[in-house]
Amino acid sequence: MALFEPVFSALNDAGVRYVIVGGLAVVLHGHARLTADVDIVLDLDPIAAGKAMEALKRLNLKPRAPVDAGAFADPHQRQAWISEKGMQVFSMFSTKNPLLIVDVFVRDPMPFDGLWSRAETLQLGGIKVRVASLNDLIAMKRLVGRPQDLLDIQALKAIKRERKRDPRA
């Protein structure tokens, strides 16, 4: 997970609102499993999205698609990617470390302000990060419904039951 710390440090330093979702969120909630990338939902306000892309570019992250990362900040461009290419995430990779992959949702999987307000603040190394709540993560995984998502849902429900039994968990 140390691989992803610079990403969140850069976003935090830029004052960007983001929520971690996907496999890393499952791991941060306490279920040990492998994940190859980090999935992030950003505040898609054009100014905020622009700050996020600048922060990620400073880490030498490049888009997988042959586009300028700055175009992500333009809501019309994102909509075109969704309509014309079926894009769901804007994938970026590190030119210095090919194992570092960041997938940013091109549209909110659920209203961002609600996702943000329900997110938990957790520690990743020495960095505070916002992670989707268990309920939001379960809802998102249910929508996708791949075999790994179904396994994650079972694990997340078990974590919820454990937290109800022992709120300190």
Side-chain angles (χ1 to χ4, degrees):
M1 286 196 281
L3 176 66
F4 303 121
E5 288 180 32
V7 171
F8 301 116
S9 183
L11 293 173
N12 288 349
D13 290 348
V16 173
R17 292 190 319 156
Y18 64 88
V19 178
I20 301 170
V21 297
L24 183 58
V26 174
V27 171
L28 290 171
H29 275 298
H31 177 62
R33 78 153 179 90
L34 294 176
T35 186
D37 61 10
V38 61
D39 299 303
I40 302 173
V41 178
L42 289 174
D43 180 347
L44 292 176
D45 169 82
I47 293 172
K51 285 182 186 179
M53 287 300 120
E54 286 302 315
L56 296 174
K57 287 190 321 189
R58 282 192 293 276
L59 294 174
N60 293 309
L61 291 174
K62 305 282 185 214
R64 284 210 186 278
V67 298
D68 174 36
F72 181 88
D74 179 354
H76 300 291
Q77 183 62 63
R78 286 195 314 274
Q79 186 56 49
W81 292 336
I82 293 165
S83 300
E84 297 166 13
K85 302 184 185 316
M87 186 182 287
Q88 294 184 29
V89 295
F90 186 74
S91 190
M92 301 181 80
F93 69 99
S94 171
T95 58
K96 294 182 177 182
N97 183 348
L99 296 177
L100 178 55
I101 300 167
V102 177
D103 289 340
V104 181
F105 280 73
V106 292
R107 71 171 144 212
D108 294 333
M110 58 182 57
F112 182 79
D113 286 334
L115 182 66
W116 170 262
S117 68
R118 292 183 300 272
E120 296 181 33
T121 302
L122 301 174
Q123 286 289 132
L124 176 63
I127 302 166
K128 288 185 180 183
V129 295
R130 299 285 291 207
V131 180
S133 71
L134 287 171
N135 288 336
D136 286 342
L137 199 49
I138 289 169
M140 291 175 68
K141 291 205 161 275
R142 191 172 283 131
L143 284 173
V144 178
R146 299 169 301 198
Q148 182 61 56
D149 295 307
L150 300 176
L151 292 172
D152 287 344
I153 289 169
Q154 290 177 349
L156 293 167
K157 285 181 175 180
I159 292 167
K160 275 181 68 170
R161 287 191 298 273
E162 180 61 30
R163 286 185 183 178
K164 283 182 181 176
R165 282 194 295 273
D166 182 1
R168 295 170 293 154

